């Protein structure tokens, strides 16, 4: 059994050795094949190197030939391209010669754009052979642009009347006319092209110097100027006075209509401009178009200003009205267009400065008029100057809005200094930086009215003391009458709401007037203060009633009785003289009642006391005691 196992192993080893031999044989064959392949690769590499050495120069030359061929093709194409405009020049020239009207605007613009493109291409090539063609194209483009400008001018003029009648549109509340939509479209196309050409030629970003803008501004400016010309003349003519002392009444000057027409025309023109020009050109074109009309407005306002200065006391209200009218015009135009504020402010400046200085001038004129009075009414009647001054303040209330803005600009109390009033900011239309935004213009005007009244009354008081030669009674009557006239005119007008809290200035002067008038009463009342001494037996005891006049008489000495008689006589004389003069004075109803009451309150109690004590001095004969209580009361009542 062991032998069998050994034999089996030997057989297996023999089989394994046979397989190894087979594998070794195959490995040797593989090695031989590898060597052959390596030899082939070496030969192939040597052959490829030879090919590369031969083919490399041939490939470089081929590429050069390809580039040269492409360049030749490009030159041929460029030559063909350059020849094309020259070939089509005659066709384009024919269109240009026809003009935009005959050729049709779209066709004309397309032609001139093609010419421009061809010209730019030729300039870029910089070939000497194309110089003549470039010159011809430049001439054609220049001719085309010139004809387009002429066409713009012709079309615009054909649509622009020499002038229109503005009152026709104002009275019928119709909008002012604008250019037709069809014409606006044509004008807009021409402007768009010509503005682009101008910017390209000048290299500027702005088109303000564009010939189209100049044409538009020239043509439309003349239309605006001619249309507004008659209204400008009417504004100066309606300011002329038929009577030198006539006071200006609101709305009687033509400036309101002038400004209304100007606003309507300017806004219609702005609509035209916005439809034709580019947005960045709206403002400059609008300014240029409106400028001649604004210059004429400035001339008109200067002429009116000269007139107002010559009639400041009667026509200062025209200045106030113009300030409001032009300020409103400026605000309306600025809100719609954002333009013309500075131009209108410059035009308004002379009138506004006159309006501001008038506040000082009117106060000075009040003083001057009072000081120039050579006589005053002998009966103490009020002076017409009081009425005139109050009428002026009443008239100012009708222009409260512009006056309020002026008051704010000069400040509270600014009228007290001519320098403060006449010196001011260069911007004559008020802005938030030119005055205190918290100020109340109406309140400042009320202060101005109070100052005017104070100036008037203090001037009248000083003049009355000179002309009445210190006659206090007539001075008192005169002042009281003027105070009453002033108060009445305040209460009967729009001044009452403004001055209601400031009427204490009148109370002060009313008390002064009363004090002056009742000086006579003080002189008369001296005669009612007895200084005689009666016997003690004549005095009433405690708990007893009033001592009778007869009892008092018994206690007087002869000397005291004569003194009492003299006091009655002196009182009668002074009292009767005072009553006579009181009735001779011209007094306003309120003044007569006020002064009569003051006289009665001052004298009647004193007289009644004196009469109670001493009326038995003449035992009812009336020789010395002319008035009993009832009769003197009747006299006092007659003073009312």
């Amino acid at each position: 059994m062991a032998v069998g196992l050994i034999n089996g192993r030997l057989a297996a080893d023999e089989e394994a050795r046979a397989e190894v031999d087979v594998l070794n044989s195959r490995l040797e064959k593989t090695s031989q094949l590898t060597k052959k392949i390596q030899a082939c690769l070496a030969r192939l590499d040597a052959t490829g190197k030879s090919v590369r050495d031969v083919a490399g120069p041939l490939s470089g030359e081929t590429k050069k030939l390809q580039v040269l061929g492409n360049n030749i093709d490009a030159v041929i194409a460029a030559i063909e391209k350059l020849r094309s405009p020259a070939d089509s020049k005659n066709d384009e020239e024919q269109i240009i010669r026809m003009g935009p009207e005959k050729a049709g605007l779209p066709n004309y613009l397309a032609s001139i754009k093609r010419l421009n493109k061809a010209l730019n291409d030729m300039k870029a090539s910089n070939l000497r052979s194309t110089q003549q063609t470039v010159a011809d194209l430049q001439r054609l483009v220049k001719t085309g642009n010139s004809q387009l400008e002429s066409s713009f001018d012709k079309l615009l003029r054909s649509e622009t009347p020499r002038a229109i009648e503005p009152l026709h549109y104002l009275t019928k509340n119709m909008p002012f006319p604008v250019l037709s939509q069809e014409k606006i479209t044509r004008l807009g196309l021409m402007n768009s092209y010509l503005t682009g050409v101008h910017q390209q030629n000048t290299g500027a970003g702005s088109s303000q110097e564009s010939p189209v803008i100049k044409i538009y501004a020239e043509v439309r400016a003349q239309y605006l100027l001619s249309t507004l010309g008659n209204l400008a003349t009417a504004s100066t003519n309606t300011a002329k006075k038929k009577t030198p002392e006539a006071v200006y009444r609101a709305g009687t000057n033509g400036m309101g209509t002038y400004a209304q027409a100007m606003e309507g025309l300017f806004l219609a023109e702005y609509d035209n401009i916005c439809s034709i020009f580019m947005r960045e050109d709206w403002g400059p074109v609008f300014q240029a178009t409106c400028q001649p009309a604004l210059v004429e407005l400035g001339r008109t306002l200067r002429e009116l200003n000269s007139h107002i200065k010559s009639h400041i006391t009667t026509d200062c209200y025209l200045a106030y009205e113009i300030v409001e009218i032009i300020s409103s015009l400026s605000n309306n135009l600025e809100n719609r267009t954002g333009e013309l504020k500075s131009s209108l402010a410059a035009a308004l400046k002379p009138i506004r400065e006159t309006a501001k200085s008038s506040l000082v001038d009117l106060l000075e004129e009040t003083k001057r008029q009072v000081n120039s009075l050579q006589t005053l009414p002998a009966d103490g009647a009020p002076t017409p100057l009081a009425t005139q001054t109050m009428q002026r303040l009443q008239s100012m209330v009708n222009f409260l809005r512009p006056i309020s803005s002026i008051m704010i600009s000069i400040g509270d109390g600014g009228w007290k200094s001519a320098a403060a009033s006449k010196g001011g900011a260069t911007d004559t239309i008020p802005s938030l930086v030119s005055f205190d935004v918290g100020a109340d213009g109406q309140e400042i005007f009320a202060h101005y009215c109070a100052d005017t009244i104070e100036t008037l009354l203090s001037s009248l008081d000083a003049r009355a003391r000179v002309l009445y030669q210190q006659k206090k009674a007539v001075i008192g009557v005169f002042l009281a009458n003027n105070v009453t006239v002033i108060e009445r005119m305040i209460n009967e007008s729009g001044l009452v709401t403004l001055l209601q809290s400031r009427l204490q200035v009148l109370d002060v002067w009313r008390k002064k007037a009363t004090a002056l008038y009742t000086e006579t009463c003080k002189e008369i009342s001296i005669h009612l203060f007895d200084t005689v001494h009666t016997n003690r037996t004549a005095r009433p005891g405690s708990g007893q009633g009033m001592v009778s006049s007869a009892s008092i008489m018994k206690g007087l000495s002869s000397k005291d009785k004569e003194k009492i008689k003299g006091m009655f006589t002196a009182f009668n004389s002074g009292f009767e003289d005072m009553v006579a003069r009181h009735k001779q004075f011209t007094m306003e109803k309120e003044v007569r009642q006020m002064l009569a009451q003051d006289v009665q309150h001052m004298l009647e109690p004193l007289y009644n006391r004196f009469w109670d004590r001493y009326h038995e001095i003449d035992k009812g004969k009336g020789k010395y005691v002319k008035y009993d209580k009832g009769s003197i009361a009747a006299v006092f009542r007659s003073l009312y």
Side-chain angles (χ1 to χ4, degrees):
M1 187 172 183
V3 173
L5 292 170
I6 294 172
N7 289 332
R9 290 178 179 174
L10 290 174
D13 290 341
E14 286 296 327
E15 186 178 353
R17 280 194 292 271
E19 290 177 354
V20 170
D21 290 340
V22 172
L23 290 173
N24 286 333
S25 175
R26 289 179 179 178
L27 180 62
E28 183 178 357
K29 289 179 180 180
T30 301
S31 299
Q32 291 174 356
L33 182 61
T34 301
K35 290 179 181 178
K36 289 180 180 180
I37 291 172
Q38 288 176 342
C40 289
L41 287 173
R43 288 194 300 272
L44 183 62
D45 184 59
T47 303
K49 183 177 180 182
S50 299
V51 172
R52 284 196 300 272
D53 291 342
V54 174
L58 293 175
S59 176
E61 291 299 323
T62 301
K63 287 181 179 179
K64 289 180 181 178
L65 290 174
Q66 287 177 342
V67 172
L68 179 61
N70 291 336
N71 288 341
I72 291 171
D73 290 340
V75 170
I76 293 172
I79 291 172
E80 291 298 324
K81 190 175 182 181
L82 292 174
R83 288 181 59 192
S84 178
D87 294 341
S88 63
K89 184 184 68 174
N90 292 335
D91 295 336
E92 304 294 0
E93 184 174 7
Q94 185 177 2
I95 294 174
I96 297 301
R97 296 297 181 194
M98 290 174 64
E101 289 83 5
K102 292 183 179 179
L105 183 59
N107 188 32
Y108 188 88
L109 287 173
S111 175
I112 202 170
K113 286 177 182 178
R114 289 193 296 271
L115 286 173
N116 270 307
K117 186 176 185 302
L119 178 60
N120 291 333
D121 291 341
M122 283 195 168
K123 284 182 177 180
S125 70
N126 199 25
L127 296 176
R128 183 179 301 176
S129 60
T130 64
Q131 287 182 354
Q132 183 58 45
T133 304
V134 167
D136 291 342
L137 289 177
Q138 285 178 327
R139 176 180 51 80
L140 275 177
V141 168
K142 184 176 181 181
T143 301
N145 291 343
S146 177
Q147 287 186 343
L148 206 56
E149 290 175 13
S150 298
S151 179
F152 185 95
D153 184 284
K154 182 179 178 182
L155 179 60
L156 184 62
R157 290 185 187 277
S158 68
E159 281 292 295
T160 303
R162 184 179 180 279
I164 61 173
E165 177 48 64
L167 292 179
H168 170 75
Y169 296 92
L170 293 178
T171 54
K172 294 186 177 181
N173 199 26
M174 296 168 55
F176 282 85
V178 296
L179 299 174
S180 66
Q181 188 57 49
E182 187 265 334
K183 297 298 188 295
I184 281 178
T185 301
R186 290 173 61 83
L187 292 170
L189 287 172
M190 288 186 274
N191 166 72
S192 178
Y193 168 76
L194 289 171
T195 298
V197 170
H198 170 76
Q199 291 177 339
Q200 182 180 356
N201 292 340
T202 59
S206 172
S207 56
Q208 292 185 28
E209 298 301 321
S210 167
V212 176
I213 290 179
K214 292 180 179 178
I215 291 170
Y216 186 92
E218 177 186 348
V219 173
R220 298 299 291 182
Q222 187 58 44
Y223 155 71
L224 295 177
L225 188 62
S226 300
T227 298
L228 293 170
N230 289 338
L231 293 180
T233 303
S235 297
T236 55
N237 288 341
T238 51
K240 295 176 181 177
K241 304 167 74 69
K242 295 181 179 179
T243 55
E245 300 304 319
V247 176
Y248 178 76
R249 291 181 294 108
T252 55
N253 183 261
M255 182 53 65
T257 304
Y258 184 16
Q260 189 179 357
M262 181 174 287
E263 180 181 341
L265 282 165
F266 281 10
L267 291 178
E269 203 57 45
Y270 188 72
D271 290 339
N272 289 334
I273 291 169
C274 293
S275 300
I276 295 173
F277 296 93
M278 292 180 289
R279 186 176 186 84
E280 61 267 22
D281 295 328
W282 292 354
V285 177
F286 187 54
Q287 287 272 6
T289 305
C290 297
Q291 195 56 38
L294 292 174
V295 170
E296 178 63 16
L297 172 65
R299 186 200 64 77
T300 302
L301 291 178
R302 288 193 299 274
E303 189 172 339
L304 286 171
N305 187 52
S306 298
H307 167 82
I308 293 168
K309 282 186 166 183
S310 302
H311 305 84
I312 193 68
T313 57
T314 57
D315 285 9
C316 58
Y317 317 105
L318 176 57
Y320 309 145
E321 183 175 73
I322 291 175
V323 167
E324 180 175 20
I325 290 171
I326 301 302
S327 297
S328 177
L329 172 64
S330 175
N331 291 335
N332 292 343
L333 289 175
E334 186 184 22
N335 290 339
R336 278 286 305 275
T337 70
E339 303 291 335
L340 304 185
K341 182 175 182 178
S342 59
S343 299
L344 287 169
L348 179 61
K349 184 176 181 179
I351 292 275
R352 187 170 181 82
E353 291 302 314
T354 297
K356 289 164 64 176
S357 64
S358 70
L359 301 172
V360 176
D361 294 338
L362 292 174
L363 281 175
E364 293 302 319
E365 180 64 14
T366 298
K367 294 178 185 177
R368 188 197 65 77
Q369 287 180 333
V370 172
N371 292 332
S372 66
L373 292 174
Q374 299 302 312
T375 60
L376 291 175
D379 57 1
T383 175
L385 283 179
T387 301
Q388 292 172 14
T389 303
M390 295 310 298
Q391 285 175 340
R392 184 168 69 236
L393 295 180
Q394 287 176 341
S395 298
M396 284 183 169
V397 175
N398 297 328
F399 304 92
L400 192 54
R401 214 164 47 161
I403 287 179
S404 293
S405 74
I406 293 169
M407 289 293 175
I408 292 174
S409 66
I410 66 174
D412 196 2
W415 54 84
K416 295 179 181 178
S417 166
S421 177
K422 294 179 180 177
T426 55
D427 181 9
T428 57
I429 292 182
S431 61
L432 292 181
V433 298
S434 65
F435 52 78
D436 177 10
V437 296
D440 186 338
Q442 293 190 20
E443 186 64 22
I444 299 175
F445 175 63
H447 185 188
Y448 173 78
C449 292
D451 274 6
T452 299
I453 293 170
E454 176 65 29
T455 299
L456 171 66
L457 290 174
S458 59
S459 299
L460 288 175
D461 179 41
R463 195 61 181 160
R465 292 178 185 276
V466 173
L467 297 179
Y468 285 133
Q469 299 177 349
Q470 297 300 318
K471 295 177 181 176
K472 295 181 179 180
V474 68
I475 294 174
V477 171
F478 176 73
L479 290 177
N481 278 330
N482 285 294
V483 168
T484 300
V485 168
I486 291 170
E487 185 173 40
R488 184 186 304 137
M489 295 186 72
I490 290 173
N491 291 330
E492 292 176 352
S493 69
L495 289 169
V496 65
T497 55
L498 293 170
L499 297 179
Q500 204 162 23
S501 62
R502 296 179 180 269
L503 292 181
Q504 61 268 25
V505 65
L506 296 181
D507 294 333
V508 171
W509 281 101
R510 190 179 289 110
K511 289 177 181 177
K512 288 182 180 180
T514 300
L516 286 168
Y517 186 76
T518 54
E519 280 290 320
T520 303
C521 296
K522 292 179 181 178
E523 295 172 3
I524 296 173
S525 65
I526 292 173
H527 304 300
L528 301 178
F529 292 103
D530 54 310
T531 56
V532 296
H533 301 282
T534 59
N535 294 331
R536 292 185 183 273
T537 55
R539 293 182 182 275
S542 179
Q544 296 179 355
M546 182 181 293
V547 179
S548 67
S549 177
S551 300
I552 293 174
M553 287 297 102
K554 291 178 181 179
L556 295 178
S557 65
S558 298
K559 183 179 180 181
D560 289 337
K561 290 180 180 179
E562 290 300 320
K563 187 175 182 180
I564 295 299
K565 291 177 182 179
M567 293 172 71
F568 268 113
T569 301
F571 170 81
N572 294 336
S573 175
F575 180 70
E576 290 169 355
D577 181 61
M578 184 204 69
V579 170
R581 282 188 286 112
H582 181 91
K583 293 181 178 180
Q584 290 173 356
F585 286 133
T586 297
M587 299 182 188
E588 298 295 319
K589 180 180 178 182
E590 299 91 333
V591 173
R592 189 172 295 280
Q593 292 180 350
M594 177 188 72
L595 295 181
Q597 186 179 56
D598 289 336
V599 169
Q600 184 175 13
H601 288 173
M602 185 176 287
L603 292 181
E604 189 173 28
L606 293 176
Y607 184 81
N608 288 345
R609 170 194 166 279
F610 197 77
W611 185 88
D612 285 337
R613 291 177 62 83
Y614 305 114
H615 67 272
E616 288 294 334
I617 192 71
D618 62 357
K619 299 180 181 180
K621 296 178 180 178
K623 182 177 180 181
Y624 302 107
V625 184
K626 295 180 66 174
Y627 305 99
D628 58 18
K629 290 183 180 181
S631 60
I632 201 166
V635 174
F636 282 124
R637 286 195 298 271
S638 71
L639 299 180
Y640 288 84

